[in-house]
Amino acid sequence: MRQIAFRQALREALQEEMRRDSKVFIMGEEVAEYNGAYKVSQGMLEEFGEKRVIDTPIAELGFAAIGVGAAQNGLRPVVEFMTWNFAVLALDQILNTASKMLAMSGGQVGCPIVFRGPNGSAGQLGAQHSTAFESYYANIPGLKVVSVSNPYDAKGLLKAAIRDDDPVVFMESEVMYGDMGEVPEEEYIIPIGKADIKRAGRDVTIVSFNKMMKVALGAAEELAKEGIEAEVIDLRTIRPLDWFTILESVKKTNRLVIVEEQWPFSSVSSEISYRIQKEGFDYLDAPIRRITAADAPMHYAPNLVKAYLPDVARTVKLVKEVMYAKK
């Protein structure tokens, strides 16, 4: 199977859906003339024209509102944020209009829109550009939240998001756009709301998503050297949350560790922990443990960046603790 970059997988998803459905269009800062800040929309202005690939001013609330209005009138916008940190400015439209309109209109007015862009930290960018937002948006009824970790999932889930009749928050990562991965040339769609077991194992379940999957899989590799076989699950979708796949894994492994880039309070791991202890308490042989970002803004200094984010070494240590193994 061919290998393509993460950004190319996203581009192909957008191109295929725009060719398939004339109601789909993309808008955002620098998506047209500049070919996208991260080159996801490269070449799309030439193919689809300025009415379907639209450069916007630096005004997230304004162009998010235009997208929401277009979606409510029968179009299918894909709104790109240069980073989800900037999308805080557009939260009013996402929370108060896109997520609520179907309920407020008694099912008469839907909002088939995708909000997408890079999420979380990307190195030394300072506190205001380094927040992971999955749990923020997953707390909003009416939204679907997708957070992808590899090119294959990115393409299949973005196509599903564009076709979905509900508003979808689609989260990527700046540091993954150049990642290579296997992606079929033929069309495929991955259903929203289904986690994926990336590595089978029998001793402990490790759950993660987005770029923290690299930490989870890296930890599994290290643990395998010591005879500990970890089952690694990529959530892919945060809302709806496929906790059943996690539960079935825990029934086998009896232990659960969660790795995420969120702050710890009211995080994705908090919800997973509640669900699994409620539905699978009798299967647990150790307390559910998690490793998250530090409970603080992420500072610029490289040593503080390293201390802030989960890493392989600390994840391995945590797994050994739930295994009651020697450290």
Side-chain angles (χ1 to χ4, degrees):
M1 190 183 298
R2 64 173 182 157
Q3 292 225 350
I4 63 173
F6 199 110
R7 61 169 56 88
Q8 184 179 342
L10 293 169
R11 186 187 309 131
E12 287 187 359
L14 289 165
Q15 289 171 325
E16 289 174 13
E17 292 307 301
M18 289 175 74
R19 291 165 187 157
R20 187 187 70 87
D21 186 349
S22 62
K23 297 189 294 294
V24 179
F25 70 95
I26 182 172
M27 63 188 303
E29 297 157 1
E30 300 183 350
V31 299
E33 294 288 346
Y34 189 66
N35 286 310
Y38 309 103
K39 300 299 176 272
V40 170
S41 55
Q42 188 168 28
M44 293 179 64
L45 175 62
E46 289 80 1
E47 178 175 357
F48 299 105
E50 61 184 13
K51 290 186 176 180
R52 297 186 67 197
V53 184
I54 304 169
D55 276 332
T56 68
I58 304 174
E60 284 79 9
L61 176 59
F63 65 75
I66 292 170
V68 169
Q72 291 174 343
N73 282 277
L75 300 179
R76 290 185 172 269
V78 179
V79 175
E80 177 179 308
F81 296 119
M82 198 174 290
T83 160
W84 275 98
N85 295 275
F86 300 158
V88 172
L89 296 161
L91 184 59
D92 175 60
Q93 283 297 318
I94 299 171
L95 168 62
N96 281 324
T97 307
S99 72
K100 296 177 179 177
M101 191 50 61
L102 189 67
M104 291 175 66
S105 67
Q108 297 179 76
V109 180
C111 193
I113 187 171
V114 176
F115 301 100
R116 56 156 293 270
N119 172 63
S121 62
Q124 293 175 259
L125 296 178
Q128 293 177 326
H129 294 71
S130 302
T131 304
F133 285 97
E134 283 93 348
S135 61
Y136 279 67
Y137 291 96
N139 266 287
I140 302 174
L143 295 182
K144 293 177 180 176
V145 180
V146 177
S147 190
V148 288
S149 69
N150 61 82
Y152 177 85
D153 290 346
K155 181 176 180 179
L157 280 162
L158 183 53
K159 287 173 68 70
I162 293 169
R163 297 188 190 191
D164 202 287
D165 289 330
D166 293 317
V168 179
V169 167
F170 197 92
M171 294 183 168
E172 302 145 18
S173 171
E174 285 180 58
V175 299
M176 294 196 301
Y177 284 127
D179 287 1
M180 303 296 290
E182 292 187 345
V183 176
E185 293 191 39
E186 63 272 13
E187 184 180 58
Y188 67 97
I189 294 176
I190 297 173
I192 292 174
K194 182 62 179 173
D196 188 39
I197 298 173
K198 299 299 188 188
R199 179 183 177 122
R202 65 179 185 276
D203 297 320
V204 60
T205 301
I206 303 177
V207 175
S208 193
F209 53 94
N210 204 278
K211 68 174 177 288
M212 289 296 108
M213 277 299 297
K214 294 183 179 181
V215 173
L217 290 168
E221 288 288 339
E222 292 300 312
L223 290 162
K225 296 174 183 177
E226 301 184 42
I228 299 173
E229 292 298 326
E231 182 147 289
V232 183
I233 297 175
D234 186 346
L235 286 179
R236 302 195 296 193
T237 301
I238 311 303
R239 184 170 186 145
L241 180 66
D242 183 11
W243 59 269
F244 186 76
T245 292
I246 304 170
L247 177 62
E248 290 302 302
S249 178
V250 168
K251 286 180 180 180
K252 176 175 59 174
T253 67
N254 310 119
R255 292 169 173 85
L256 175 60
V257 171
I258 306 159
V259 185
E260 64 170 332
E261 195 183 346
Q262 308 287 293
W263 288 316
F265 191 85
S266 300
S267 62
V268 175
S269 60
S270 302
E271 178 65 20
I272 294 171
S273 298
Y274 166 74
R275 290 274 191 167
I276 300 305
Q277 67 81 27
K278 178 179 181 293
E279 304 295 338
F281 181 81
D282 291 338
Y283 298 99
L284 290 167
D285 288 343
I288 298 170
R289 299 293 301 276
R290 65 180 181 177
I291 180 168
T292 69
D295 195 12
M298 191 178 95
H299 293 283
Y300 178 81
N303 59 322
L304 294 178
V305 171
K306 183 177 180 181
Y308 178 87
L309 293 170
D311 60 21
V312 169
R314 282 181 286 167
T315 304
V316 167
K317 181 177 181 290
L318 201 59
V319 169
K320 289 183 178 180
E321 287 179 10
V322 302
M323 296 289 299
Y324 303 116
K326 291 182 179 179
K327 299 177 185 178

